[in-house]
Amino acid sequence: MTMKTTFTRRDVIKNSAGLAGLGFLGNSMEHRFNEADKQTGIDLKGKVNHSACRWCYQAIPFEELVINAKKIGLQSIELTGPEEWDILKKHDMTAAIGWGKYPEGMGLPNFFNKMKNHDQLVAFYEDLIPRAAKVGVKNLITFSGNRDGMSDEQGLLNCKKGLQRIMKTAERHDVTISMELLNSKVNHKDYQADHTEWGAVLCEMVGSDKFKLLYDIYHMQIMEGDVIATIKKHNQYISHYHTGGVPGRNEIDESQELNYAAIIKAIYDTGYKGFIGQEFIPARADKMASLEQAVKICDI
């Protein structure tokens, strides 16, 4: 995922309610939405569960995005929160990974590796986890925070202490908390969870099957490369995947350096049954056409 260090992407949650209040549009618009849901999508093989991140399409009203995404074979719009989950459910869609409005002053640079944040973050997740479980959202995102001079060892210890406080709730509700791995080289300077090995160690330290990693292919290609070998080595710690073209985080086609068809095959050869979340920023004017192309590339 890519955002400014002020974590302005969380504002998407406030602004992406889209067409949730359909009442003012009248029955004719509601009928059109229902008819659109019935239209047949593209011919997919059925092996891959397809998803896309809301923030990459924030110019599109949310319900319009949901309808059009479903038509091209997606089952999920992710990085969405409680305000959007009812709309997804209405159209028989889900959020492969969700989030919420984080406590004031917290976000990607300032999260679980700071002990001072633990009480507020624990309260936040203790509230969000059962809400997610109630609507069938099985995965929630979390972050390490920036180093700010902290050693990797201390960051591991601090994250462990905070995360272990929410594991009983996550286990009880069967919701996985997934820490995203991000690059600290280009997009997120000083972010601590910037290597898969660090994340795998944290998974072992937390000691719960309900804490895993969100492996962002774009970010980890920048930081460490060896994407397929890393996935094979650490797949037991990975609960979710994100895409993105390298360099630039645009379309995942021949305009960039990664072979996404081979990567997705390697992921599914590990026995993975979850979602592939498209998190590239479409460079073309027709953003839905770019998303449909990405779905086809990943539909192994």
Side-chain angles (χ1 to χ4, degrees), residues 134-182:
K134 186 176 181 180
V135 295
V137 174
K138 307 296 288 184
N139 210 339
L140 294 171
I141 198 169
T142 196
F143 307 101
S144 64
N146 286 2
R147 291 181 174 86
D148 294 326
M150 183 184 301
S151 71
D152 281 351
E153 292 77 12
Q154 190 62 53
L156 285 168
L157 290 170
N158 290 355
C159 286
K160 171 195 170 183
K161 290 176 182 177
L163 289 162
Q164 283 185 330
R165 291 174 61 183
I166 61 174
M167 284 302 105
K168 287 185 179 179
T169 300
E171 290 163 1
R172 185 167 63 252
H173 291 281
D174 192 26
V175 171
T176 300
I177 307 300
S178 299
M179 181 172 287
E180 185 163 21
L181 303 171
L182 302 170

Side-chain angles (χ1 to χ4, degrees), residues 5 25 57 87 95 120 126 131 137 140 176 207 225 249-250 287 299:
T5 56
L25 293 174
Y57 306 90
I87 297 175
Q120 285 182 281
E126 290 284 340
R131 295 172 71 187
V137 174
L140 294 171
T176 300
R249 196 169 197 120
N250 301 126
K287 300 183 186 307
D299 195 54

Side-chain angles (χ1 to χ4, degrees), residues 18-297:
L19 303 180
L22 288 172
F24 75 92
L25 293 174
N27 292 332
S28 61
M29 183 63 78
E30 180 76 38
H31 173 73
R32 284 161 57 190
F33 280 157
N34 291 338
E35 288 302 308
D37 262 356
K38 297 175 184 177
Q39 296 180 18
T40 304
I42 61 176
D43 186 20
L44 299 176
K45 298 173 184 175
K47 183 177 179 181
V48 177
N49 297 314
H50 297 283
S51 179
C53 294
R54 167 58 175 146
W55 74 272
C56 301
Y57 306 90
Q58 55 189 296
I60 302 174
F62 185 62
E63 191 153 15
E64 179 183 334
L65 174 64
V66 171
I67 290 168
N68 287 324
K70 185 174 182 179
K71 286 166 64 176
I72 61 174
L74 277 79
Q75 300 139 290
S76 156
I77 302 295
E78 61 184 71
L79 297 185
T80 47
E83 298 87 349
E84 296 133 326
W85 293 341
D86 284 343
I87 297 175
L88 286 167
K89 186 176 181 180
K90 171 185 172 182
H91 294 282
D92 196 27
M93 297 268 280
T94 190
I97 189 164
W99 63 1
K101 183 179 178 181
Y102 299 116
E104 187 67 28
M106 291 181 210
L108 194 154
N110 184 33
F111 228 71
F112 266 115
N113 65 350
K114 310 295 192 304
M115 295 286 290
K116 65 181 182 180
N117 296 336
H118 286 183
D119 286 348
Q120 285 182 281
L121 286 172
V122 168
F124 166 77
Y125 281 104
E126 290 284 340
D127 173 70
L128 187 61
I129 290 168
R131 295 172 71 187
K134 186 176 181 180
V135 295
V137 174
K138 307 296 288 184
N139 210 339
L140 294 171
I141 198 169
T142 196
F143 307 101
S144 64
N146 286 2
R147 291 181 174 86
D148 294 326
M150 183 184 301
S151 71
D152 281 351
E153 292 77 12
Q154 190 62 53
L156 285 168
L157 290 170
N158 290 355
C159 286
K160 171 195 170 183
K161 290 176 182 177
L163 289 162
Q164 283 185 330
R165 291 174 61 183
I166 61 174
M167 284 302 105
K168 287 185 179 179
T169 300
E171 290 163 1
R172 185 167 63 252
H173 291 281
D174 192 26
V175 171
T176 300
I177 307 300
S178 299
M179 181 172 287
E180 185 163 21
L181 303 171
L182 302 170
N183 84 76
S184 60
K185 180 179 177 182
V186 176
N187 301 106
H188 304 291
K189 301 291 186 180
D190 201 42
Y191 185 74
Q192 191 148 49
D194 62 352
H195 279 80
T196 311
E197 291 281 357
W198 188 93
V201 170
L202 181 59
C203 288
E204 289 289 337
M205 292 173 67
V206 172
S208 171
D209 192 50
K210 292 305 171 185
F211 175 73
K212 292 195 175 184
L213 305 175
L214 193 172
Y215 184 90
D216 189 302
I217 298 163
Y218 162 80
H219 287 295
M220 291 301 97
Q221 169 68 1
I222 290 171
M223 286 305 298
E224 58 193 22
D226 290 329
V227 168
I228 289 176
T230 302
I231 288 167
K232 288 180 178 180
K233 181 178 180 181
H234 292 300
N235 68 86
Q236 69 269 33
Y237 303 115
I238 299 170
S239 61
H240 193 59
Y241 291 88
H242 277 170
T243 74
V246 182
R249 196 169 197 120
N250 301 126
E251 281 80 357
I252 63 170
D253 56 17
E254 68 281 354
S255 64
Q256 51 84 55
E257 68 191 30
L258 290 166
N259 182 346
Y260 265 98
I263 293 170
I264 303 305
K265 182 179 184 303
I267 290 170
Y268 276 83
D269 283 349
T270 68
Y272 179 73
K273 303 297 184 185
F275 284 83
I276 300 297
Q278 302 291 345
E279 200 186 20
F280 65 91
I281 304 168
R284 304 187 191 108
D286 190 340
K287 300 183 186 307
M288 294 307 297
S290 288
L291 181 56
E292 180 174 346
Q293 178 194 41
V295 167
K296 291 177 178 177
I297 290 170

